[in-house]
Amino acid sequence: MAFVITAGTLAQTDRPADRAPYAMTLPGGDTADYAAIWRTQPQVRTVVAFLARNIAQLTIHHYRRVSDTDRVRLDSPVAQLLSRPGPDTTRYRAFDALMNDLGIFDAAYWAKVKGTDGAPGALVRLDPRKTKPIGDNPFTPDGFEIRGSRGTRQLPADQVVYFRGYNPSNPREGCSPIETLRQILLEEWNANHYREQLWRNGARMSGYLSRPVEAPPWSSGARSRFRSEWQAQYVGDGPQSGGTPILEDGMTFSPAAVTPEQAQYMESRKLTREEVAAAYHVPQPMVGILDHATFSNIREQHKQLYQDCLGPWLQMIVEELALQLLPEFPDTLNTYVEFNLAAKLSGSFEEEAASLSSSVGAPWMTRNEARARKNLPAVEGGDELITPLNVLVGGQASPTDSAPDATDSLKAAPGSPPARRIIRRKAKPSAAHVERTRAVMAAFFERQGKAVVSALGDEVKAVRSARTAGRKADVDLSAFWDDDRWNGELSADLFGVNTLIATACAHSTLEALGLDTDEYDEDRTLHWLTANADRVAGAVNGATKRRLIDVLANTADDPVKAVGALFAVYASARAVEFAKSHATQLAGFGTTEAARQTGRESTKTWRVRSSNPRKSHARMDGETVGLHDTFSNGAQWPGDSSLDEDERAGCTCEVDVEFSD
């Protein structure tokens, strides 16, 4: 037996829940509504405005679904309305207000203003604080009541597009994230209130005065005079404030307040922003929290922004428009609206160019089009696309494919002279060479860490002692960091590694060619090996110094412990990553240097060996250049120290050197 329960039957089981106030109570009985919190709490405004601005800049289009693989973009009344919601409202401002309302109240309302044809001709934002769902249905409102200074007005539900999030106790309205952040925001409000009082008091510490028991009795006049003089000196910003106290009768002053250092203002502010960002599901680097940000992970988080962070918001908006707005217009069956994310999710120019070239199998821009981008005049014949010969005769699908094997490409055709024999030599460091480099770097970081931590501990003690005595003091970097010492020590360590790996790879190359290793002139390489050791040492210590400054600026409790932890990571993880790229670089140098010294005709080819390489390196896989030339990224070989750190760190690519007999 089947049972049918209507929506009306369910609606009769409960009454609509009352709206929770859009406000929070502050200490002292004051209240602040969510709009006031957005205005006064910079962490909330930063995150909500970030969401609103990034969604508002997206255009929204109207499409008709022709089939599962085809669609047509429509220049329809719907598209025109969404591109210009009102005669005095732009698309950007309309969606910016929509997202701000959703971020602050988890609810937003647009009134549909009828046009001459009966369909909506404009969309007007309604203030969520003054708009209230009405009716007896606990699930969906029958209409909306708009309250204003001149009275109230009711609109039927079909004349309003309303957006709301989830609320476990009231399905008709959302639940603002600000409500979830109530306790954290109250703590931040109290901290700001305390700081305001501190500055109102001239930023001077509070405390109490005590008189010794044996002091003579104080008359009421003397007590009043002392109180007024003391307050004139230590309260506010008057002309006498900030003077030197004059205590009477053996008085003593005892501090009785939390210092700004103890209150950890910077840490609490950063924590509040982190909590607010988490409540709105916004990646921390997107709102200025860069503690663990790197170039690579910021790029990836930027790509994920419109997929994981803003994606759910965008989907909710387009589905509500499809449900509540599209049916108001004729001929909207099998149509939908969609935000245009193509421009925001596209890669860099280089990545898009490589992708297009691979997709079409040939260059996709003429020479004159390229010259126009550089503001150069057109040339004769520059309007024809040039198709590389390797695409026509090489049997490749794309000009970015790897070149054919050198031995195969040099096979002689029937009746032609015999082909030259090609000998290929891989420039790859041995596991022992990588381990040797890692051990040298780990030992250096351990030695450097012990010296820095010890000197920093003495400096911190001296600074704290000076501050206790009332003197202004800050940690001096020069007290525990010596550029000349660390650059000199690391350069000496690296020179030994450079000589070992480069010479070993050069000898191995000559042996593979059947040549005497005594023919290798190591003295010719000493200048380059020395300069490389100096350059790399300066880069490594420069990065360490910058990281030290950052750690000290963001650590108030125990900077010595934080710096010790930093060097522990350097002696392990950083040493491993450095060893891979540095040993790879030296293998490339030693192998190509041996080829140069033989005087034979030689080329070198970039080879990718990682399963997850950098995109720039993946595009170079198979790229062949002359022995004395650089690759397209400006490197002589993988791991070249002339590259940026993002291009060389942890690189495990190889270079093949090909010799002709």
Side-chain angles (χ1 to χ4, degrees):
M1 181 180 294
F3 294 90
V4 178
I5 301 176
T6 66
T9 302
L10 292 175
Q12 294 173 4
T13 63
D14 200 0
R15 293 181 179 178
D18 293 332
R19 163 183 281 182
Y22 288 148
M24 60 174 31
T25 303
L26 302 175
D30 295 333
T31 61
D33 65 17
Y34 292 160
I37 292 172
W38 177 85
R39 286 194 300 268
T40 58
Q41 287 279 358
Q43 320 303 357
V44 174
R45 180 163 184 171
T46 296
V47 175
V48 173
F50 172 82
L51 293 170
R53 294 172 61 199
N54 279 278
I55 288 181
Q57 70 176 326
L58 297 174
T59 55
I60 185 168
H61 299 148
H62 188 203
Y63 296 96
R64 182 181 302 280
R65 181 178 287 104
V66 179
S67 67
D68 291 341
T69 59
D70 190 16
R71 66 178 183 174
V72 176
R73 180 177 168 184
L74 305 175
D75 185 16
S76 63
V78 174
Q80 295 171 10
L81 176 63
L82 293 177
S83 65
R84 187 69 177 270
D88 57 352
T89 304
T90 64
R91 176 200 53 78
Y92 181 95
R93 282 198 287 118
F95 281 95
D96 181 64
L98 170 66
M99 271 310 303
N100 273 298
D101 284 343
L102 287 171
I104 298 171
F105 305 104
D106 202 27
Y109 305 89
W110 281 349
K112 307 173 189 176
V113 179
K114 296 294 184 180
T116 56
D117 58 354
L123 299 170
V124 178
R125 172 189 176 264
L126 301 177
D127 189 341
R129 296 171 298 175
K130 301 178 181 180
T131 306
K132 178 181 178 182
I134 57 175
D136 295 330
N137 192 323
F139 305 116
T140 58
D142 299 327
F144 298 89
E145 181 182 86
I146 298 94
R147 293 178 292 102
S149 60
R150 297 182 178 180
T152 63
R153 181 177 178 180
Q154 293 185 358
L155 295 177
D158 61 359
Q159 291 186 18
V160 176
V161 182
Y162 69 104
F163 308 82
R164 79 276 194 194
Y166 173 73
N167 189 329
S169 59
N170 188 352
R172 304 200 308 184
E173 297 189 80
C175 180
S176 172
I178 294 178
E179 182 66 27
T180 307
L181 295 166
R182 175 187 294 270
Q183 188 60 41
I184 295 172
L185 296 177
L186 282 175
E187 292 176 2
E188 178 70 10
W189 185 91
N190 283 318
N192 289 337
H193 185 62
Y194 172 77
R195 183 163 51 254
E196 180 184 356
Q197 292 177 326
L198 179 66
W199 286 109
R200 188 182 296 126
N201 197 35
R204 285 175 286 279
M205 188 179 298
S206 301
Y208 58 87
L209 294 168
S210 60
R211 300 177 73 234
V213 177
E214 61 273 12
W218 235 2
S219 66
S220 59
R223 183 183 296 105
S224 299
R225 175 185 53 79
F226 181 81
R227 180 187 297 111
S228 61
E229 291 177 353
W230 181 271
Q231 290 179 344
Q233 286 181 322
Y234 297 105
V235 177
D237 56 355
Q240 296 181 348
S241 65
T244 303
I246 302 176
L247 302 179
E248 301 178 3
D249 304 326
M251 291 181 180
T252 58
F253 176 78
S254 301
V258 178
T259 66
E261 181 180 358
Q262 293 169 334
Q264 295 184 319
Y265 286 134
M266 294 303 297
E267 290 77 6
S268 65
R269 278 184 174 272
K270 186 168 66 174
L271 176 61
T272 302
R273 180 171 293 190
E274 290 175 355
E275 294 288 351
V276 174
Y280 286 92
H281 309 287
V282 174
Q284 294 183 7
M286 297 292 100
V287 289
I289 305 174
L290 305 176
D291 290 10
H292 305 289
T294 65
F295 174 77
S296 59
N297 68 23
I298 285 183
R299 287 188 64 190
E300 290 304 314
Q301 289 183 8
H302 178 74
K303 294 177 182 178
Q304 295 173 6
L305 173 63
Y306 287 90
Q307 299 170 347
D308 304 327
C309 174
L310 302 184
W313 292 98
L314 299 175
Q315 188 66 25
M316 183 267 284
I317 292 172
V318 297
E319 289 188 2
E320 293 293 352
L321 292 175
L323 177 66
Q324 303 181 56
L325 184 63
L326 262 62
E328 299 282 338
F329 293 86
D331 193 26
T332 55
L333 185 64
N334 292 326
T335 69
Y336 60 96
V337 293
E338 183 178 271
F339 285 96
N340 180 20
L341 297 179
K344 301 303 297 183
L345 294 179
S346 61
S348 64
F349 174 79
E350 293 82 0
E351 293 170 339
E352 285 198 59
S355 175
L356 289 171
S357 180
S358 297
S359 299
V360 302
W364 52 275
M365 182 182 292
T366 66
R367 283 174 291 168
N368 282 342
E369 288 172 335
R371 291 175 64 85
R373 285 177 174 265
K374 296 296 183 182
N375 296 318
L376 296 174
V379 297
E380 184 177 355
D383 293 323
E384 298 292 332
L385 281 174
I386 297 177
T387 304
L389 290 177
N390 66 337
V391 175
L392 291 176
V393 301
Q396 300 181 74
S398 164
T400 61
D401 286 351
S402 302
D405 181 76
T407 304
D408 294 338
S409 65
L410 292 176
K411 288 181 179 179
S416 63
R420 295 175 297 168
R421 186 169 67 93
I422 297 296
I423 301 174
R424 177 178 293 168
R425 178 64 184 169
K426 293 183 180 296
K428 179 181 180 181
S430 66
H433 289 157
V434 175
E435 172 57 25
R436 173 62 178 169
T437 308
R438 185 209 63 79
V440 167
M441 289 305 299
F444 172 77
F445 283 133
E446 289 175 358
R447 182 172 72 252
Q448 187 181 52
K450 289 180 180 179
V452 170
V453 167
S454 176
L456 175 61
D458 294 339
E459 175 67 5
V460 169
K461 290 179 182 178
V463 168
R464 288 176 175 170
S465 176
R467 290 177 178 175
T468 302
R471 300 192 304 273
K472 183 178 179 181
D474 293 306
V475 174
D476 183 6
L477 184 68
S478 63
F480 58 90
W481 182 266
D482 186 344
D483 284 315
D484 292 338
R485 174 190 173 183
W486 299 125
N487 289 344
E489 289 188 15
L490 183 54
S491 177
D493 291 345
L494 290 177
F495 177 75
V497 172
N498 289 2
T499 305
L500 171 68
I501 299 177
T503 302
C505 291
H507 286 178
S508 178
T509 300
L510 294 176
E511 290 172 354
L513 295 173
L515 300 177
D516 190 347
T517 57
D518 291 339
E519 296 183 12
Y520 181 67
D521 187 357
E522 186 176 332
D523 291 342
R524 287 176 50 178
T525 68
L526 296 182
H527 176 74
W528 187 92
L529 295 175
T530 301
N532 175 267
D534 291 341
R535 181 170 61 252
V536 173
V540 169
N541 286 318
T544 302
K545 182 179 179 179
R546 291 191 296 272
R547 184 59 181 145
L548 275 175
I549 295 173
D550 181 61
V551 168
L552 292 175
N554 293 280
T555 305
D557 290 341
D558 193 345
V560 177
K561 182 179 179 181
V563 170
L566 173 68
F567 277 102
V569 173
Y570 278 10
S572 53
R574 189 182 181 193
V576 171
E577 289 300 312
F578 175 87
K580 294 177 183 177
S581 58
H582 192 67
T584 297
Q585 172 193 206
L586 294 170
F589 169 76
T591 302
T592 54
E593 178 62 23
R596 291 191 185 101
Q597 293 192 19
T598 64
R600 299 187 181 193
E601 181 182 349
S602 307
T603 60
K604 55 188 178 184
T605 303
W606 191 288
R607 301 293 183 190
V608 172
R609 293 293 178 253
S610 171
S611 60
N612 184 29
R614 295 171 173 84
K615 291 183 178 180
S616 58
H617 290 190
R619 291 196 298 269
M620 293 169 56
D621 190 22
E623 181 179 324
T624 300
V625 299
L627 188 66
H628 299 277
D629 298 328
T630 60
F631 289 100
S632 58
N633 66 346
Q636 288 278 353
W637 39 73
D640 192 339
S641 59
S642 63
L643 295 175
D644 293 337
E645 184 66 18
D646 287 324
E647 273 289 295
R648 65 184 298 268
C651 178
T652 58
C653 296
E654 300 171 3
V655 61
D656 291 348
V657 179
E658 298 174 351
F659 305 82
S660 300
D661 271 356

